[in-house]
């Protein structure tokens, strides 16, 4: 769950979202069961189909135990991209 949460958090940061918005988005996706296990994400990136049993995250990930401890501290603004 942590790997899925952090991967989505950094993906959202890369899309230009602010740090708080990126974390909120990733946490909501876990809560709603929309994040997939990392093994399936890697398979998709390689053009392979995900395995049937792990294509959906365990319902356990929806529990706050897996995402509520992640909080943002410090600067909440979007990251500055230097060209």
């Amino acid at each position: 769950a942590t790997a899925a949460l952090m991967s989505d958090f950094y993906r959202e940061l890369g899309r230009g979202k602010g740090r708080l918005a990126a974390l909120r988005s990733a946490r909501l996706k876990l809560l709603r069961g929309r994040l997939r296990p990392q093994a399936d994400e890697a398979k998709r990136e390689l053009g392979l189909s995900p395995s049937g049993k792990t294509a959906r995250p365990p319902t356990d990930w929806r529990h706050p135990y897996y995402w509520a401890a992640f909080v943002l501290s410090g600067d909440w603004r979007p990251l500055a991209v230097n060209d």
Side-chain angles (χ1 to χ4, degrees):
T2 299
L5 179 77
M6 289 293 107
S7 293
D8 194 66
F9 171 69
Y10 284 106
R11 187 177 303 116
E12 295 297 325
L13 282 178
R15 292 179 180 154
K17 277 193 178 178
R19 296 167 203 180
L20 185 60
L23 181 59
R24 181 178 186 274
S25 175
R27 287 171 52 167
L28 284 174
K29 286 177 188 172
L30 269 185
L31 176 65
R32 294 175 180 156
R34 294 184 183 158
L35 286 182
R36 301 190 184 287
Q38 293 303 301
D40 285 343
E41 290 299 320
K43 286 179 183 179
R44 265 190 206 85
E45 289 175 8
L46 294 172
L48 304 172
S49 61
S51 57
K53 291 185 179 179
T54 59
R56 297 187 60 95
T59 55
D60 299 343
W61 288 8
R62 296 175 187 203
H63 193 279
Y65 171 84
Y66 293 98
W67 50 263
F70 293 92
V71 295
L72 194 63
S73 52
D75 195 352
W76 51 267
R77 294 174 295 176
L79 296 173
V81 178
N82 296 329
D83 293 322

